[in-house]
Amino acid sequence: MKKIAVIGTGYVGLVSGTGLSDFGNSVTCLDIDEEKIAILNKGKLPIWEPGLLELVQKNAKMNRLHFSTDIAAGIRDAEIIFIAVGTPSTHNGEADLNALFKVTEVIAKNLNGHKYIITKSTVPVGTGQKLKEFIVARAPKGSHFEVISNPEFLREGNAVYDFMHPDRVVVGTESEEAAEVMRQVYRSLYLIETPFVFTNLETAELIKYASNAFLATKITLINELANIADGYGADIHTVAKTMGLDGRISPKFLHPGPGFGGSCFPKDVRALSAIGRSVGYESKLLDAVLEVNEHQKDRMVEKLKRLVPDLKNKTIALLGLAFKQKTDDVRESPALNVIEKLKNERVKIKAFDPAAMDEMHKIHPDLEYCNDVYDSVKNADAVMILTEWNEFRELDFSKLKTLMNSANIIDTRNLYDPKTVKSLGFNYLGVGRR
Ligand code: NAD
């Protein structure tokens, strides 16, 4: 059993800390956010993530998962320290490492004995080396430490499963001793033969960005193909499915939609482009992915205007606010872009999301937040499906028709078959399926 501190108790820190405690380690999750830690200490969750509450409660009850705001004490008490603070975009697209260096400063000042300092946050290539120098300059004389990169690949909405069944665990370190400690930390995964990739710090850091950039590019390609399909009446789903039959392509991440969002893809593609620029390499591909993605988001309101040309004073129902289903996270959600545009057109917005209304309310308190789908579509001139929640896959169309002002549907997630919905008397537009 290892003594672990996880600094930053957000989506990644909380899931990782809980998962590591479930593997049998003794874990303290630390955060500067007092409210978050108070909620966790009451046995509740500050975020919405399926399956997480049960796991938190189980491990807290077994006395191997703790929550605290005393970061210095947590550091002194642990042998292994994971850093999982946010690394959002700065105004020029680089990763903002303020929180990371603040935390590292506290770690450096509280070094006692030998510590393993592990970056789980997504950090630019070269950050691990910078952290080493930063700590050496501040740590008490005679202290010993290793910096290790261990990027996280979990998906919000499936985070618990992903942490417990990762496709791979990446460990960036050149020290065999540190590699062995990581094998022990992840012993449960090592025993079930999860692939472990041991490499140097820089390679581990780049693997994380490379993976997200690849996925964001794949989504962007299928969105562009969907836009071309739209123009000709080709069916993008048949195109995607058939592309996916080619073993070199694979069918995953070929679902067209309103553009990618969330807390990772946009900021990580921006950061990778900035990482390239800082060594004199201009990535035209990554910049194009970001640009196309912005256009894709814009196209959704353009689609709406094809059904409702004059939006002023109209009522539009938005189904889904989270950037994807099974999460309350609205960071860079395509819904944000749609809301801004609709507000500019003086639209009355009614919104419903099974989990993300509180988060969206913090940004847009002036929308009408509804109790359910049918409450939101009352008197609406159009419905826009923005998130692929399962709740939206089985709508009662005859009820919808009686409640709405006009039977218009924009399905940005292609949850429905256009022919079926049109046969029920709706004007319907999806993405890539005229
Ligand atoms: P988050 O914003 O949900 O959580 C970050 C936490 O860090 C917050 O609770 C915040 O209060 C805390 N924090 C900030 N400054 C602190 C400080 N000085 N001391 C202690 N705590 C502090 O972020 P997240 O979504 O969990 O992402 C964390 C990192 O993991 C990012 O680098 C992200 O790119 C990466 N990542 C995220 C995901 C994801 O799906 N969210 C997946 C893989 C990797």
Side-chain angles (χ1 to χ4, degrees):
M1 183 183 82
K2 295 283 176 194
K3 283 205 93 176
I4 297 176
V6 179
I7 312 180
T9 308
Y11 288 87
V12 164
L14 180 56
V15 173
S16 307
T18 308
L20 291 168
S21 70
D22 206 60
F23 294 161
N25 299 294
S26 168
V27 179
T28 304
C29 289
L30 303 160
D31 207 288
I32 42 168
D33 186 333
E34 292 182 0
E35 195 187 337
K36 210 172 246 190
I37 295 301
I39 293 172
L40 285 160
N41 277 326
K42 279 185 200 140
K44 293 183 184 159
L45 281 192
I47 56 167
W48 198 94
E49 183 60 48
L52 184 56
L53 182 63
E54 296 78 354
L55 209 62
V56 167
Q57 288 175 342
K58 171 187 151 193
N59 286 288
K61 204 168 163 193
M62 293 179 82
N63 209 26
R64 58 188 185 202
L65 179 61
H66 306 271
F67 303 99
S68 168
T69 51
D70 191 343
I71 296 173
I75 291 166
R76 286 195 298 273
D77 221 31
E79 180 196 356
I80 296 163
I81 302 159
F82 280 87
I83 306 177
V85 296
T87 48
S89 287
T90 61
H91 65 281
N92 59 3
E94 290 170 7
D96 182 344
L97 300 181
N98 259 317
L100 184 89
F101 277 97
K102 263 191 199 145
V103 162
T104 308
E105 184 153 21
V106 186
I107 295 173
K109 288 186 175 153
N110 287 283
L111 277 189
N112 54 343
H114 192 289
K115 308 266 178 192
Y116 297 91
I117 301 162
I118 304 161
T119 48
K120 196 160 255 315
S121 300
T122 304
V123 296
V125 187
T127 303
Q129 295 296 350
K130 283 186 190 152
L131 291 183
K132 277 190 199 174
E133 291 160 25
F134 185 89
I135 298 168
V136 167
R138 288 161 180 80
K141 281 218 172 75
S143 49
H144 301 280
F145 69 93
E146 302 274 358
V147 171
I148 303 166
S149 166
N150 173 221
E152 182 51 56
F153 297 90
L154 60 77
R155 297 161 299 170
E156 286 174 20
N158 292 288
V160 172
Y161 179 87
D162 287 352
F163 190 83
M164 299 299 193
H165 307 88
D167 292 332
R168 70 313 207 182
V169 174
V170 176
V171 178
T173 174
E174 272 147 28
S175 141
E176 183 41 45
E177 189 200 327
E180 183 49 32
V181 167
M182 293 301 277
R183 279 188 204 101
Q184 288 168 26
V185 166
Y186 286 111
R187 196 165 167 272
S188 309
L189 299 181
Y190 208 70
L191 293 177
I192 56 167
E193 295 186 7
T194 302
F196 274 62
V197 176
F198 291 97
T199 182
N200 65 19
L201 274 169
E202 292 77 6
T203 309
E205 290 164 345
L206 185 55
I207 287 169
K208 172 64 194 177
Y209 282 107
S211 304
N212 276 359
F214 183 86
L215 294 173
T217 304
K218 199 170 177 189
I219 298 173
T220 304
L221 175 67
I222 202 67
N223 282 341
E224 287 223 303
L225 293 171
N227 299 340
I228 294 170
D230 257 339
Y232 285 96
D235 177 43
I236 194 62
H237 284 282
T238 308
V239 172
K241 214 163 141 188
T242 315
M243 283 167 73
L245 294 175
D246 185 327
R248 295 168 302 175
I249 296 176
S250 122
K252 291 186 181 161
F253 269 74
L254 283 179
H255 195 91
F260 59 78
S263 67
C264 290
F265 288 173
K267 82 160 172 71
D268 289 351
V269 178
R270 283 196 288 268
L272 185 54
S273 176
I275 289 164
R277 271 200 305 282
S278 69
V279 287
Y281 184 75
E282 202 75 35
S283 171
K284 292 199 163 70
L285 176 63
L286 296 177
D287 294 346
V289 165
L290 292 165
E291 193 183 337
V292 171
N293 194 53
E294 285 310 305
H295 287 163
Q296 190 67 11
K297 293 190 212 164
D298 293 346
R299 283 177 70 87
M300 300 304 118
V301 172
E302 295 308 313
K303 273 182 195 291
L304 173 66
K305 281 185 177 171
R306 279 166 52 196
L307 301 188
V308 188
D310 182 11
L311 283 170
K312 196 172 169 194
N313 296 329
K314 295 286 191 311
T315 300
I316 306 297
L318 304 184
L319 298 187
L321 300 169
F323 81 96
K324 65 172 183 177
Q325 66 160 336
K326 296 197 281 178
T327 183
D328 59 350
D329 199 343
V330 299
R331 288 178 281 184
E332 303 214 31
S333 171
L336 290 166
N337 177 295
V338 168
I339 291 168
E340 290 292 344
K341 290 213 155 47
L342 295 183
K343 277 185 167 180
N344 288 342
E345 302 269 356
R346 309 248 181 94
V347 163
K348 177 177 179 205
I349 303 172
K350 296 179 77 180
F352 173 70
D353 186 289
M357 293 201 286
D358 287 347
E359 288 304 307
M360 190 57 90
H361 188 268
K362 291 177 193 165
I363 306 167
H364 289 288
D366 49 345
L367 310 185
E368 185 179 334
Y369 291 93
C370 300
N371 295 327
D372 59 30
V373 169
Y374 301 101
D375 183 18
S376 73
V377 303
K378 254 181 230 157
N379 302 322
D381 296 287
V383 166
M384 292 184 86
I385 301 174
L386 295 178
T387 312
E388 72 281 25
W389 283 99
N390 285 341
E391 282 89 333
F392 304 153
R393 291 176 197 269
E394 299 284 339
L395 297 179
D396 178 341
F397 282 98
S398 52
K399 194 168 170 186
L400 232 59
K401 219 167 163 198
T402 57
L403 292 170
M404 290 176 71
N405 255 350
S406 311
N408 294 313
I409 298 185
I410 302 293
D411 180 3
T412 72
R413 300 288 183 165
N414 288 353
L415 300 190
Y416 290 97
D417 171 46
K419 272 192 197 144
T420 312
V421 182
K422 283 177 191 167
S423 74
L424 297 169
F426 284 84
N427 302 312
Y428 172 94
L429 288 176
V431 180
R433 295 187 305 169
R434 197 199 292 174

